[in-house]
Amino acid sequence: MQVVKKYSETELVMLLRQRSGDVFEYLYDNYAGALHSIILNIVKEEQQASDVLQDVFVKIWKQIGNYDSSKGRLFTWMLNIARNSAIDLVRSRHFQNSQQTLELSEEVYNGGSTEGLNTDHIGLRKIVHQLKEEQRVLIELAYFQGYTQDEIAKLTALPLGTVKTRIRAGLIQLRQMIKI
Amino acid sequence: MDIREYIESGAIESYVLGLADAQEAAELELLSRQHPEIRDAIDAFEASLESHALAHAVPPPAGVKEKLIGELKDGFVVTDVITTAPVISVNRRTRYIAAAAVILLVVSAGLNIYFYNQFRDTRNQYQALLIQKNSLLAENNVMQARSLNMYEGMQMMSDPAVRKVSMSGAGTGVKERENNLATVFWDSKTKDVYLLGNKLPQAPAGKQYQLWAIVNGKPVDAGMMGDCQGLCRMKNITAASAFAITLEKAGGVAQPTLSELQVIGKV
C-alpha cells in the first residue's frame, strides 16, 4: 500500500494531541496496514491480530501525549507499541495454555506457523527469514517473541556476547535488505 | 571511539527495534546527542523501516476502523485543518540547525554592529592623528626654517667684518618711543644690511617700518621691514654714518617723515 502523505509527522502529532478525529482516521488509514503486518508476524491468528490492532490504536490515541519526538519517529513509536502489544497477547495466551517454552521453541526451530495463516512471508519477518540460520533464530526470539538477550543466552546456551554479536550482525544484514 | 564502526555495529538497529537493553539504549542516546552522524544513521534506519513497513502493509479487515471510531469518537474534536496554523514540515535536526542558524545570525548581526562602531571610532581617531601629524610636520618645517635662519644670523653676526649698529628710541623725543630698540648688522665687505627689530611695536595696518641710512647727512632708503622673521635682509648700503627707522605707509616713501622717527643710532 503506497501512501500519499498529507500531513507531516509534526502536524500529525500536534493534531492528534488536539484530539482531531479526522487526523486519527487519517493515521489509521495510512498506518493500520503497516502495523497489522507486524502484529500478524507475531500473533499469526487473524482475529486476534485484529483485536491487537484495535488495542494498539486505542493506546496510540490515549498515549500520544507520551510520545517524545526527540527519541525517534512517530512510526517507530507506534511500531514498538504494536510489537509489545502483540508479544503481550502471545505470552498471555501461552501462559493460559501453560506450554510457553515448549511451543515457542517448536515454532522457532520449525520456522513455521502452526496456525492457519503463514505470516512468515509478510513484512519484516520475511526479511528475517532470509538471514543466516544462526542469526535468524536469535532475532526471531528477540524481536518476534520478545525475549531479552540474557534470556536468549540462557535458552540457547550461548554466551551473551555471542548472542549480541549475532543479533547485531543479523540486523546489519536486515538494514541492507529493507533499504529501498 | 570510532563512530563509523559504531554505526556499523548493529547497535542502532538493535535500539530502534527495541532490542537494546537499558544500558545500551542509554549509551546510544548519549552518543546520538554528541555525534550527528549517529543521529543521522538512526533517522535513516527509522525512515527505511517505515518505508518498508508501508510498502509491505497488510490491510486490516473491514470493521476494525468502525469499531475503533465507535469506541473513541466521544473524545474526538473537530479541528478545522484549513485554519490550523501551517506547520512547516521539519525534522528535529533541521529544527536544531534552523534554531542554531537564527542564533548565529543574531549574534553575527550584533557583532557586526559592535565591530562597525569599533571601526568607525578607530577611523576617526586615525584621521585625527593624521591631521595632528601633518600640522606637527608643518610646524616642524617652520621651526627648522626658523632655526636655519637663526643659525645663518648667528654666523653673520659673529663675522668680524660685520658691524653692529644699535638704534634706540631715546633720541626721538617722544616718550612712547623711548624704549624702542632695533639693530642693524652691516657687512663692511659685502655691504649687506640686516635689520633686527628688537623692540618695535606692531606696525598698524597699512603701515610699515622703513630703514634709512644717513649718507653724508642725507637719508637714503635702505628698504622696508616686511613680514620677515628675525633678521630682515635690507638693501645694500655702501657707506653710512647712521641708521634710522620711520613708520611710513606700506611700500615706503622717498623722504622720511621725521615726526614718525622710531629709532636712530650712529654707526
Side-chain angles (χ1 to χ4, degrees), chain A residues 19 24 28 50-62, chain B residues 63-76:
Chain A
R19 314 273 80 189
F24 181 76
Y28 185 89
S50 298
D51 292 346
V52 172
L53 182 68
Q54 194 178 328
D55 182 38
V56 165
F57 271 92
V58 171
K59 283 179 181 164
I60 291 170
W61 178 251
K62 289 186 173 162
Chain B
V64 175
K65 185 179 174 186
E66 284 65 33
K67 271 198 265 177
L68 260 175
I69 290 171
E71 187 181 344
L72 299 175
K73 69 169 185 286
D74 288 347
F76 285 180

Side-chain angles (χ1 to χ4, degrees), chain A residues 138-149:
Chain A
L138 299 186
I139 292 175
E140 287 271 353
L141 285 169
Y143 192 71
F144 297 107
Q145 299 188 30
Y147 286 98
T148 65
Q149 295 176 118

